[in-house]
Amino acid sequence: MTTYRRAPEVWREMGLTDAEYERIVSLMGREPTDVELGMFAVMWSEHCGYKYSRPVLRLFRKYRESLEGAGFENAGVVPLDDRLGIAFKVESHNHPSAVEPHQGAATGVGGIIRDIFTMGARPIAILNSLRFGPLSEPRNRYLFEHVVEGIASYGNCIGVPTVAGEVYFHPCYSGNPLVNAMAVGVVPLDGIVSARADVPNSAVMYVGASTGRDGIHGATFASETLGDDQEEKRPNVQIGDPFMEKLLIEATLEAIETGAVLGMQDMGAAGLTCTTCEPTSKSGTGVEIDTSLVPTREANMTPYEIMLSESQERMLLYVQAGREEEVARVFRKWGLNAVVIGRVIEEPVVRVRHRGEVVAEVSPDHLTKACPTYTLQADEPAYLREAQRLELAEVPVPDDMNAVLLALLESPTIASKRWVYEQYDWLVGTQTILPPGAGDAAALRIRGSERGIALTIDCNARYCYLHPYRGGQIAVAEAARNLACVGAQPRAITDCLNFGNPQRPEIYYQFEQAVRGIADASEFFETPVVSGNVSFYNESEFGAVYPTPTIGMLGILERPEDAVGMGFRAAGDVVLLVCPASRPADAEPHFGIGASEYLYVQHGLERGAPDPVDLAAERALHRLLVELARRRLVRSMHDLSEGGFAVALAECALVHGVGVQVNLTDAASEGAPRPDAALFGERQTRVILSASPQHVNAIVARAQQLGLACYVIGETGGDRLTIRWDGASLIDLSLEECREAYEGAIPRWFTRADLPG
């Protein structure tokens, strides 16, 4: 092996500090080879090593258990019944999507799908959470258009439906969009494949696409701030082939059925380096491989490039000795590479040869468990106290509430995302119950089970910016509420924690507080965080993105046929509002106007703190909604979120074109002091229901038994949306006016002739 002392610029360009390089030398007792240094650089990046986030992630109970046990697998698995489990996970592909939006988004989908079928699960659904800068900027429109195009092209081609998602727009994302992809699969509980290498002499088998030079140091790229050199980073972005991935799914699941596959891991971040060192570190074993045996699509690739490439559609299998050809035949049948490149050995070392010459020899524990952990300084941001201050007297009451509602419905963050989801195939697989836009969460049947599942992905970043702890709690509460609104019992969480540079104390404070809020809420609701991802360094010349801890959540439907949509179904139904019986003692005096989309759209202000969530009342609400769905007492359920009561009511009316007339009493508006607070305030734990008149008494009685308030506020019918409050008519609009604002908002940004670019 060739080792020598390098100039500091070499390891610094790889993202390693001087102290970390010296730690590597100390661990190895010598200077690392070029290949070893590259392996350390990617495995000790924040993206792979979680060196800055690990101390805070210990707040998650399941994460603590994984650190004390075998470590996280590729995805979390939750039992659906006594035979099947649901595997699910969310990850980010933010930096690649900023540089090359189509391929960045597409390979984000491909990577998260591989995390699912690597567990032995058949992928059945995709979700996404997307954040962009204002559509008035040509660059943001370009990113938005091509990210959606990339997600659609990959998901549609691979035959996995994209069933739900969210899209937000805000100036903080102009230089650094967020592209979070979530995938879900079904796996027999006795057929889960682990990312382990337990058995010495078992074969190390490379399967899938050939290796190229794309994606080299992608993990390092994801662990640094975007700058003016974005175009130079294009080689760090992988290139995806969804047709190849479809073949890989089928071949992998068929190979698992042979019983010869002992362990498996996707070659995602850090590629072959990660898939050799992580399984062996968990198992206390080692591997010896030869990179000259790896199929490559480019000539004269070096062992450094082969070990660090993040080319897509590749897996590493650990196969029972003597059964290599049996497994290889499966992959060759599907037209894929299947090559034994080495063996598991008892000695705990990753030994890499190239044409017989040893180019790397390093303990897997040095690459994984020895990754340094940093407890960073957390300081409350200077902006926070002043930004949280908001007096209602500082906010004028608008004269025309109709105009305010139309402006909110036209705000791209609230407006219909039909332009997005119509590009996705959400019906493929024929298990989707509720189409996008029809419910607060996606609902799916599961073949082979009497149960179904519900899925959602959610986060209000403005809440997290103005109050990181409450924002984290609310992200969990709203995701759980979305599931309960379709009739599903919230069960478990996967999260994607998007933040700026953690080495800045104010960013680390946001991260720590938001995670604490998520942990407290998830523990209270008994919805553990079972998988996830941390994405730091989401910054640009415009500054850091708002803290965006995206929550993906899984719920269980006892009977898929009980799934409930959000839209009013027919004229003559009674409209009800369910909310806490009393406001929390620490409730904000601005009645939800603070931190609201209304305050931002109408008044250009981002101030105040989000109203706190009463976790006990929220849990009671979840129980009520699930019971109502199972007893089939409701026709629709929809939670109140961005835009408050008026926007939620309009959304209920627009799904099926059924009008509504309501009268908000003082009690139903929780004593709101002024009309805009009653209409547009964003208070938590509130849901609009519709039901046949004969079920109203039972609904009200059950809500009261659970300690909740439930008010009859109106009736469905006609073609108008009318809201009275305190005896006065505040809103009176035709559904057509509302639909024009709501459905046309995003498409208009791509057809207006007066826009630059």
Side-chain angles (χ1 to χ4, degrees):
M1 292 189 298
T2 302
T3 64
Y4 55 90
R5 187 69 182 181
R6 300 162 179 81
E9 290 74 17
V10 175
W11 61 77
R12 291 173 187 167
E13 287 179 1
M14 294 182 179
L16 294 167
T17 67
D18 293 354
E20 287 169 346
Y21 183 80
E22 294 304 328
R23 179 181 174 89
I24 292 167
V25 172
S26 176
L27 286 169
M28 302 191 70
R30 58 175 172 79
E31 301 287 331
T33 67
D34 288 344
V35 175
E36 290 166 343
L37 182 59
M39 293 167 71
F40 273 105
V42 292
M43 292 306 300
W44 283 17
S45 67
E46 167 61 30
H47 190 73
C48 291
Y50 293 92
K51 58 187 177 184
Y52 298 127
S53 55
R54 194 182 302 130
V56 176
L57 295 178
R58 293 176 188 273
L59 292 167
F60 297 145
R61 178 170 55 84
K62 285 289 184 182
Y63 187 83
R64 291 197 303 272
E65 291 173 359
S66 83
L67 291 179
E68 295 160 2
F72 269 133
E73 297 293 341
N74 291 288
V77 178
V78 173
L80 174 66
D81 51 29
D82 58 1
R83 194 178 68 85
L84 297 177
I86 304 297
F88 66 115
K89 188 181 182 183
V90 62
E91 280 197 350
S92 62
H93 236 220
N94 303 335
H95 284 28
S97 300
V99 173
E100 213 305 302
H102 181 107
Q103 289 297 340
T107 53
V109 172
I112 197 63
I113 287 176
R114 285 195 300 280
D115 280 339
I116 298 304
F117 70 81
T118 301
M119 302 288 294
R122 176 168 291 280
I124 61 167
I126 303 166
L127 299 85
N128 53 72
S129 173
L130 311 176
R131 316 278 165 145
F132 303 94
L135 290 174
S136 55
E137 295 294 327
R139 175 67 179 172
N140 294 328
R141 292 198 300 277
Y142 168 81
L143 292 172
F144 177 39
E145 181 177 10
H146 290 283
V147 162
V148 170
E149 177 187 81
I151 293 169
S153 68
Y154 206 99
N156 295 354
C157 290
I158 207 171
V160 180
T162 300
V163 297
E166 60 170 4
V167 189
Y168 281 75
F169 300 89
H170 190 277
C172 75
Y173 302 110
S174 282
N176 196 134
L178 300 185
V179 177
N180 295 176
M182 175 177 166
V184 184
V186 180
V187 59
L189 291 172
D190 61 359
I192 298 171
V193 180
S194 183
R196 299 182 64 86
D198 291 327
V199 183
N201 199 42
S202 55
V204 180
M205 182 176 287
Y206 174 111
V207 302
S210 297
T211 294
R213 291 188 170 94
D214 50 320
I216 293 174
H217 274 295
T220 308
F221 168 48
S223 302
E224 60 186 25
T225 300
L226 289 171
D228 295 333
D229 60 345
Q230 288 189 27
E231 288 302 311
E232 298 174 16
K233 299 295 186 180
R234 283 183 181 270
N236 295 131
V237 180
Q238 307 95 326
I239 306 299
D241 182 345
F243 299 103
M244 178 77 74
E245 180 123 334
K246 176 60 176 173
L247 299 175
L248 188 58
I249 291 174
E250 300 305 327
T252 301
L253 295 179
E254 185 176 335
I256 290 170
E257 290 180 0
T258 67
V261 178
L262 305 175
M264 178 165 46
Q265 187 157 334
D266 159 43
M267 286 192 226
L272 193 53
T273 294
C274 179
T275 52
T276 50
C277 72
E278 286 189 346
T280 52
S281 179
K282 292 175 188 176
S283 300
T285 57
V287 293
E288 185 165 327
I289 65 171
D290 193 321
T291 52
S292 64
L293 300 175
V294 172
T296 59
R297 65 170 184 259
E298 299 180 51
N300 302 317
M301 287 189 68
T302 67
Y304 180 97
E305 293 171 327
I306 293 169
M307 289 301 294
L308 270 63
S309 169
E310 295 181 10
S311 293
Q312 298 290 286
E313 293 88 37
R314 305 177 304 151
M315 317 276 281
L316 200 67
L317 276 56
Y318 293 88
V319 176
Q320 186 177 338
R323 302 185 68 181
E324 298 89 345
E325 180 57 26
E326 181 183 356
V327 172
R329 276 199 304 269
V330 173
F331 286 92
R332 288 200 296 267
K333 182 185 78 172
W334 290 93
L336 300 170
N337 292 308
V339 180
V340 174
I341 63 170
R343 294 278 164 185
V344 177
I345 59 177
E346 291 187 7
E347 182 185 4
V349 63
V350 174
R351 184 173 294 118
V352 182
R353 299 180 184 273
H354 191 71
R355 298 192 180 94
E357 178 188 354
V358 176
V359 294
E361 192 171 77
V362 58
S363 163
D365 284 354
H366 289 170
L367 292 167
T368 57
K369 297 173 184 176
C371 176
T373 298
Y374 301 98
T375 300
L376 300 178
Q377 182 177 344
D379 292 342
E380 183 178 288
Y383 73 83
L384 199 55
R385 296 294 178 91
E386 177 60 24
Q388 288 177 348
R389 188 191 65 79
L390 178 69
E391 299 292 338
L392 274 178
E394 300 173 351
V395 183
V397 179
D399 295 327
D400 186 347
M401 297 299 173
N402 285 333
V404 175
L405 177 56
L406 292 175
L408 284 170
L409 292 174
E410 199 171 24
S411 167
T413 288
I414 288 177
S416 168
K417 306 307 185 296
R418 185 182 301 275
W419 182 89
V420 176
Y421 64 70
E422 283 191 340
Q423 298 184 52
Y424 302 151
D425 187 343
W426 51 269
L427 273 175
V428 63
T430 66
Q431 297 183 92
T432 310
I433 301 170
L434 294 173
D440 282 8
L444 288 86
R445 300 177 184 87
I446 302 299
R447 293 190 181 92
S449 176
E450 295 182 354
R451 292 176 174 168
I453 62 172
L455 304 165
T456 190
I457 191 164
D458 205 275
C459 178
N460 186 312
R462 182 181 292 121
Y463 291 173
C464 296
Y465 173 74
L466 290 169
H467 200 301
Y469 177 79
R470 284 186 193 170
Q473 280 194 318
I474 292 171
V476 173
E478 183 169 354
R481 197 183 317 138
N482 287 339
L483 297 176
C485 277
V486 300
Q489 180 63 45
R491 184 59 59 83
I493 290 170
T494 180
D495 61 8
C496 193
L497 307 174
N498 305 272
F499 291 81
N501 183 345
Q503 293 162 285
R504 293 168 52 196
E506 67 275 18
I507 299 295
Y508 203 69
Y509 173 92
Q510 293 174 336
F511 173 67
E512 184 178 57
Q513 289 295 308
V515 169
R516 194 174 299 278
I518 293 169
D520 288 349
S522 64
E523 290 285 328
F524 190 90
F525 296 143
E526 298 180 337
T527 52
V529 178
V530 299
S531 63
N533 170 240
V534 178
S535 177
F536 282 143
Y537 302 98
N538 289 292
E539 301 191 8
S540 68
E541 66 271 24
F542 301 105
V545 302
Y546 279 4
T548 311
T550 304
I551 300 297
M553 192 177 283
L554 166 74
I556 304 298
L557 282 162
E558 286 298 323
R559 295 182 308 216
E561 60 269 25
D562 293 343
V564 179
M566 62 185 269
F568 297 142
R569 306 291 303 187
D573 283 343
V574 177
V575 180
L576 305 97
L577 177 66
V578 183
C579 59
S582 60
R583 298 196 73 216
D586 57 345
E588 297 294 335
H590 50 62
F591 276 78
I593 286 180
S596 68
E597 188 74 3
Y598 159 71
L599 188 66
Y600 180 64
V601 170
Q602 180 67 25
H603 301 284
L605 297 175
E606 289 187 289
R607 300 185 64 85
D611 250 27
V613 57
D614 180 335
L615 295 180
E618 185 74 42
R619 184 169 59 186
L621 177 65
H622 303 163
R623 181 177 176 182
L624 172 69
L625 301 179
V626 172
E627 286 186 16
L628 296 180
R630 288 179 184 171
R631 294 169 63 187
R632 302 195 178 185
L633 296 179
V634 289
R635 304 286 297 275
S636 69
M637 302 192 289
H638 183 34
D639 83 314
L640 276 61
S641 55
E642 287 88 1
F645 174 80
V647 165
L649 192 72
E651 290 172 336
C652 293
L654 289 173
V655 174
H656 301 295
V658 177
V660 62
Q661 304 80 45
V662 303
N663 182 32
L664 271 180
T665 63
D666 183 67
S669 63
E670 301 173 84
R674 41 190 266 182
D676 55 347
L679 292 176
F680 310 118
E682 296 176 12
R683 301 188 293 284
Q684 301 303 306
T685 320
R686 301 159 82 220
V687 170
I688 294 172
L689 312 176
S690 69
S692 298
Q694 65 265 32
H695 296 317
V696 170
N697 289 340
I699 294 170
V700 173
R702 185 56 182 142
Q704 291 173 346
Q705 288 172 1
L706 292 171
L708 298 166
C710 184
Y711 303 100
V712 173
I713 59 172
E715 184 180 26
T716 61
D719 60 0
R720 299 189 71 80
L721 174 74
T722 62
I723 304 175
R724 295 181 65 82
W725 177 75
D726 197 26
S729 177
L730 297 182
I731 300 289
D732 187 7
L733 291 166
S734 71
L735 292 191
E736 188 56 38
E737 291 175 279
C738 295
R739 188 178 305 282
E740 172 64 17
Y742 186 68
E743 295 284 358
I746 289 177
R748 278 194 290 273
W749 283 106
F750 293 94
T751 57
R752 286 172 53 181
D754 61 326
L755 291 172

